[in-house]
Amino acid sequence: MNSNNTKSNFGKWGWSMIIYCAISYYLAAALSTDALNWFPTAFQAYHGWGDAFVNMCNAMAGIGGWIGVAAAVVFSIMTAKKGSRFMALFGNILTGILCLIMAFTNSQPVFFLMVICLTFIGGNIQLNVVPNNIMNVWFPKKKGLALGWASMGLPICTATIIVIFTKIGNPRTAYILLGIVCFVFAIVSVFWAKNTPEEVGCTPDNEPVNVEEAKALMEKQQAVAKSMTMGVIAKDRNTWLIGIGHGMLWMTTIGLVSNFVTKLVMTGIDVQVSVMMLTVAAVIGIIGSYIWGWLDQKFTTKIASVIYGIWYLAALLIMIFQNGSTGMMVLAAIFVGFGIGGIGNLIPSIIGTCFGRFGFIQANRLIAPINTAVRSTALIIIGAIGVANLNKAYMVFFICSVISIIMICFIKPDENKVVIK
């Protein structure tokens, strides 16, 4: 399914979809993981809530991820029936409403409920479901490279969202504005998002083939995808190797990014410098996003995933032995940052590689819940161990990453499930 063609010749509509998905990835990160570096302490100070509030926010985000296990199944089924464009409209309106409730409530229980809801909705619809599906449908052969560009939205968010929120200052105002952005993107999605390239007279991967031939191939691909029942997907070993193996790499990513600033501050680095280093890490991640996509396209998703896992083992060691020195701080920014954009490429790409263009959304009905359950464990681990003991959490992530690398080595795509001609 992979092509080693690393030229970014996606065409006008192809680039349009890449930019659209980049915005969706940005919002997904803003609504869940990245904002954890800011909103718990900001709302704690604004409302005068107790010291336990910050740890509770991490724990609630973890619970939201676990609830997202069931939500991922529902959202994937809805996408298969209604299409990506409908889900973009539905998801953005819903998250917009939740942001406004989070902004205006003075109740801690209601606030925690909004943290849970934003985590499982933003992390599913605006990440797992809509952009990932669009990328696989539009770019079945060059999805690695296309995702390398689109998933830049994730590190761009990491680089900018805390800076933007800090400039706004008032957390209530920040979340009102974030809600408005979601509403606007919902309306824009109706006219911008396209379920398939064929519906606008284009071809997958912008290949120079007759549009009618492309439509005939699409019908064949859709027929193969329809045969992928939940039972078929559940019996495929790749489902579990991707779900658990890549899920643990995602868990490590969340564990490193969500409390990156907190960890640096704990080693004696000034909070402003720590925020700046998160921004630096994210800027490095923008470059990393393309590099991981290029590696995916050139050497296959499986090889790129193994390299990614090894890279983050080094990142974890750097964070464990972080001592507050300038050198270690810079290394942390480089190693953590370079991986920020990678996981967003690799998971949807490996699913498409193993299950095909339209088989992605079918397989994602089961893989996304598994990924969600595993990745969300990061915040539960941190919440249970306590932010004050991050090194213990990093050691757990290290062991899990080693296991994930071993699992990924056993992934083997089935050519019968992938129709490319």
Side-chain angles (χ1 to χ4, degrees):
M1 192 69 174
N2 281 70
S3 166
N4 62 4
N5 180 359
T6 55
K7 293 182 179 180
S8 299
N9 53 339
F10 302 115
K12 182 178 69 175
W13 264 109
W15 274 109
S16 177
M17 289 300 96
I18 288 171
I19 294 169
Y20 174 85
C21 290
I23 296 172
S24 187
Y25 286 132
Y26 185 103
L27 284 174
L31 291 164
S32 52
T33 310
D34 288 357
L36 281 169
N37 281 289
W38 183 81
F39 80 75
T41 53
F43 276 105
Q44 179 191 41
Y46 182 83
H47 290 290
W49 286 332
D51 293 337
F53 177 77
V54 175
N55 276 338
M56 282 296 293
C57 283
N58 274 286
M60 292 303 107
I63 292 171
W66 275 90
I67 294 175
V69 172
V73 177
V74 175
F75 293 149
S76 293
I77 292 172
M78 288 175 66
T79 305
K81 291 183 177 180
K82 297 287 188 177
S84 299
R85 181 167 48 230
F86 171 83
M87 291 305 295
L89 174 66
F90 170 77
N92 279 286
I93 289 176
L94 195 54
T95 50
I97 293 170
L98 295 172
C99 283
L100 294 183
I101 296 173
M102 188 169 172
F104 285 110
T105 186
N106 293 314
S107 165
Q108 273 198 45
V110 173
F111 187 94
F112 288 143
L113 180 61
M114 293 305 100
V115 174
I116 291 171
C117 291
L118 282 173
T119 301
F120 80 75
I121 294 173
N124 267 300
I125 296 180
Q126 272 138 323
L127 181 63
N128 274 337
V129 175
V130 174
N132 287 354
N133 191 47
I134 288 175
M135 287 289 96
N136 271 279
V137 170
W138 273 77
F139 310 105
K141 294 181 182 177
K142 299 185 72 173
K143 59 190 179 303
L145 194 59
L147 281 159
W149 287 106
S151 63
M152 286 182 181
L154 296 169
I156 289 173
C157 179
T158 307
T160 59
I161 195 65
I162 304 303
V163 175
I164 293 170
F165 281 166
T166 302
K167 288 290 184 182
I168 294 171
N170 187 314
R172 178 166 282 179
T173 302
Y175 269 77
I176 290 171
L177 292 174
L178 183 57
I180 292 171
V181 169
C182 290
F183 290 136
V184 172
F185 195 54
I187 297 169
V188 169
S189 295
V190 175
F191 305 98
W192 191 355
K194 304 299 179 184
N195 293 320
T196 69
E198 288 85 355
E199 71 180 73
V200 287
C202 297
T203 59
D205 300 298
N206 193 36
E207 289 192 328
V209 296
N210 182 280
V211 174
E212 292 304 315
E213 292 177 3
K215 287 183 178 178
L217 177 58
M218 179 180 72
E219 291 175 1
K220 188 187 296 184
Q221 291 167 333
Q222 288 175 327
V224 172
K226 286 180 181 177
S227 68
M228 295 183 195
T229 63
M230 286 292 280
V232 170
I233 296 164
K235 291 176 183 177
D236 193 314
R237 72 173 187 172
N238 290 330
T239 297
W240 304 96
L241 293 172
I242 295 169
I244 299 172
H246 282 79
M248 285 194 285
L249 288 184
W250 203 348
M251 177 180 72
T252 297
T253 305
I254 290 175
L256 285 169
V257 176
S258 63
N259 284 275
F260 183 83
V261 172
T262 304
K263 173 62 177 178
L264 294 186
V265 170
M266 287 168 60
T267 63
I269 299 171
D270 179 76
V271 64
Q272 295 300 323
V273 175
S274 298
V275 171
M276 182 186 71
M277 292 312 296
L278 177 62
T279 303
V280 171
V283 171
I284 293 170
I286 297 169
I287 301 169
S289 183
Y290 174 80
I291 298 298
W292 291 116
W294 186 89
L295 289 170
D296 178 338
Q297 198 69 38
K298 188 69 177 178
F299 301 108
T300 76
T301 319
K302 178 178 173 178
I303 292 174
S305 297
V306 171
I307 297 171
Y308 184 89
I310 295 170
W311 182 272
Y312 256 0
L313 290 180
L316 283 163
L317 290 174
I318 290 168
M319 293 301 285
I320 288 171
F321 293 104
Q322 189 65 222
N323 57 15
S325 68
T326 301
M328 289 295 285
M329 180 178 67
V330 171
L331 277 177
I334 293 172
F335 274 79
V336 174
F338 197 75
I340 289 175
I343 198 66
N345 308 8
L346 299 173
I347 291 179
S349 185
I350 194 68
I351 296 172
T353 297
C354 291
F355 295 94
R357 186 184 178 201
F358 293 97
F360 168 84
I361 197 61
Q362 303 290 72
N364 208 40
R365 289 178 297 174
L366 184 54
I367 295 175
I370 300 169
N371 276 161
T372 302
V374 176
R375 81 167 192 249
S376 301
T377 307
L379 298 176
I380 293 176
I381 289 170
I382 292 172
I385 294 176
V387 176
N389 297 295
L390 282 174
N391 279 354
K392 291 182 180 179
Y394 293 154
M395 285 186 275
V396 174
F397 299 146
F398 189 94
I399 294 169
C400 290
S401 294
V402 171
I403 296 171
S404 73
I405 292 169
I406 295 170
M407 293 185 71
I408 289 167
C409 288
F410 286 95
I411 293 173
K412 185 177 181 180
D414 181 353
E415 293 183 2
N416 293 325
K417 291 185 172 69
V418 184
V419 181
I420 61 174
K421 61 182 179 179

